Amino acid sequence: MRIGQPIDWSKAAALAGSAEETDGDGSSTGMSTRSRTTAASRPRAQSPAETAVLGHGQPVDWGKVAHPVEDVGVAETRPAGRQANPGGEKAARGSACACGGPERAAAAHSAGSGEALDWSRAAHRNVALVEHPSVEDGATVRLSVGPSKKAAPLLPIMGAGFAPSRSSNPPVIGNPPRAWESADWQVRWPDILPVNPSGPECFRNAFPEDPGASGLDELAADVTFLANYLTTSFSPSDTASASAWVAANPGAGEPAATRLLLALSDDGVTWYKTGLVVANHAGVPAVAVEGDRLYVFFNATLDGATLVDGLPATADTGDPLCCAYTTDLRSWTYRIIGNHSNTNGISYNSSGAGEGDIMALNAHDPSVVRSTLSSEAGGGEGWWLFYTLHWDRDGTRTSGTFFAEAPTLDAANWLQHAGKIFPRRETQGFGSAEDPSVIRVETATGYYLQYAAGWTAVDPSGDTYNNWIVALPSSMTQDDLDAAPWTLDSSSCWSSGYEIRLGNPMAQSAGEGFGVSPPPARSSAHHERNADSLVRARRGSGSV
Amino acid sequence: MPIHSPIHLVALFKSLQVSTNGASTGDDAAKSYLDLQVPQIRNMLPQASGLFVVGLTENAVATDFEWNIQFISGFDRIHEAAPINIAASNLDSASGMRSAEYTTTSNFLLESRLRLWWRNKNGISGVKNAQLSAVLGVHLITA
C-alpha cells in the first residue's frame, strides 16, 4: 500500500554519521554480528508520548527520534551462499533474547516466543505468587528457602489468584534477585489480572542476555502466558456468545464460565492482550514448548458436545483435561487428554491411588514439565504431566495430585504413575491437594535435577478456599522418580527448615499447617501485615 | 477504508556503510538484515497495526539494493515477506531520503521479530561505501 505522503527526511542525514562498514564478502568489520545491548542501545520503557510522531504530510521531527527503540542498532551480514536459518543464526550469534539454540527448545517448559529456553538460568528468573493482599506493588519480599539438606529448592510459582478474596488477589511477579540465595524479590503487579482465578501455575519467563544481570528491562524474549479471564473482561471480538452462555448458566464456574485467551509479554509485567481465544469454557492453563509447537494443557467443559471449539465430538460430559497446540499462535489443534470414560490419553491406574474408589476420573489442573522418564515409562527424555484427580475417600470427595509421563507432548497416551499420589492422608494427615505447579530447576552444582512443586491443599476441617496452601517438596534426583519422591515427610521438607504459608510459595513459618496440622484461621490483622514481616527470611535461624 | 493515525516511528536503524566487491550478486548475494523486536512495539503501541514506513537514503536506492521486510514468529516462521520498492518510492530531494510503505495483512503484534533485510542483488560496482539509513514507522489503524 502506498499512501504517498511526503516525508521530510532532512534530518535523517545526521544518521549517516555513525556509519559502520561491512566487507564485500559480507563479514562485518565494524559491527558485532550479535545484538549489542549497550547502555545507549538497550531497550527502555517508553511511553507513547515519547515516541516520535510522523503525521501525514508532516515533516519528521527528528528531535523526537533521539530516543528510539534501538535494539536494532545492529547489522548482520550473512556470507553469500549461506541459507537463511533464523533459528540457527540465533544459536550461533547469541541473539538479543539469549535463549539458546534450537536444541534447547525441546527442554522448554513454557514460553511464548518459541525461542529456545535455557533452564540453567531459571534459577534467576522465576516468578512467584504472593497471595497476601497486603503485599504492595514494589514491595521487597524475601524468600525463605530453608537449609539445603539435599539441594536448595527454588520457589518458582506463579498463581492466578487465591483465596480468601479470590477475585481480588492478582498474580504477583517477583522480580527475582541476581542470586536466588539472597532471595530479595521485588513484587511486581502485572497488568494482566485474572478475573476468575484458579490454581497456581508456573511459567517460564524470558531470560536476559546476561544471565547474571538483574532487571526486567533487560529481558528481550517473548513470554506467552495463557490466563483465565471472564469473558467480559478481556474483550475478545466474540464475547457475545460466551456471555450469553454464562447468562444462561448461572453459577457456572471455571472452566465452564471461563475462556482461555492469549496474552504476550516480554517482561512478565506488561502484557499485550491479543484477544485471541484459545478455547471457550476452559481454564487453568499450563503451557509448554516442544519443537515448533506451543502446547496448552487446560481444563475444559464438555456438555456431551463440543463446547470447546475444535475438540472432537464426544458423548462425555464433565471437565476433561484437554490440550491444544499451535505453531503460529493463529490456528490450534485440540485433543482430549484425560476424560471421564478413560478412552483418551492418560492410562489410569486406580489401584495406584490407594485412597479408595476414584469417583471422578476427569483429570484437571495440569502442569507440565520437561523431565527424564522413569524406567516404567521407558526412560529417556520426556515430559511429566501433573494434574488433579478427585476420588472418594470414606465417602467424602477429596482430591490429590497425580502425574503421568510421556515421551512427547503429543503422545497418544500418558502413563499415570501408580503410587505417586500426593498428598497421602496416611503420611500427611490432611485432606486434599489440587492445582499442582511444577518447574524444573537445576542447581548450581548440576548434581540434582530439582523439581520444585507448589500445590494448593484443602484443610479437611476448614473452608476450602480459606485454607489453600502452597508448599514445596524436597529436591529429587532422577533415581528418586521410581521411589515415590512426591511422598513428603517431615524429615525432608518444611519442618526441617522449609517454610510454608497460606496460598503462597513464600515461607511464613515452619511447622505450620500443611502436613503437620490444619492451618490456623487467619485474622484480618494477620492479613494486613506488611509483606516484609510476613515473608522475611529467617536468616537468624539459618534457613536462608 | 482504515483511518490511519500519525506514523509512530518505532525504530531507528543505525546507519551503516555497505560495500561490495561485486563477487556476490543475484540470489547468492550476501544479505544483511536488521531485526526489530516486536514486543517493544507492543509495549509502546499496544494498538498498533501493520502499516510500516521504511525510509532509506537515496544512495541506497541508486545502488540497486534489494530490500525486503519480513514478519517472523517466535517459532522462526516467516508469516509475511514483502519486497520494498524503494526506487519507486517517495524521494525527499532535500535529504536524499526515500520512503516506502507496506501494510501487513495480519496482526504483526503477534510476531516476534520484524526483519528488514537487503542485499546488492546486481553487484554494481558503484555501491561501495553506500550510506544506508533506515527508519521504520508504524501507523495506528483505528478503523
Side-chain angles (χ1 to χ4, degrees), chain A residues 1-2 9 15 20 43 51-52 54 69 71-72 74 76-78 80 89 113 222 266 272 292 330, chain B residues 7 9 13 15 17 28 31-37 39-40 42-44 74 77 95 97 101 107 111:
Chain A
M1 176 176 175
R2 296 281 311 283
W9 294 101
L15 300 176
E20 302 277 357
T51 63
L54 183 65
V69 174
D71 83 310
V72 292
V74 175
E76 288 198 14
T77 304
R78 185 183 302 113
E89 289 161 2
S113 67
D222 272 347
D266 66 336
Y272 169 59
D292 63 351
R330 292 162 173 79
Chain B
I7 299 168
L9 298 178
F13 294 151
S15 303
Q17 293 179 326
D28 292 331
K31 287 181 181 176
S32 298
Y33 57 86
L34 297 162
D35 281 352
L36 175 64
Q37 300 298 319
Q40 297 175 18
R42 288 202 301 257
N43 289 340
M44 293 171 54
R77 292 171 182 269
S95 64
M97 294 289 288
E101 299 179 358
N107 184 1
E111 310 291 355

Side-chain angles (χ1 to χ4, degrees), chain A residues 7 49 82 101 129 186 226 253 259 313 315 389 416 427 460 531 538:
Chain A
I7 299 175
R82 183 186 298 177
L129 169 69
Q186 183 179 23
L226 296 150
R259 160 178 280 179
L389 290 179
Q416 176 179 292
T427 53
R538 298 186 308 146

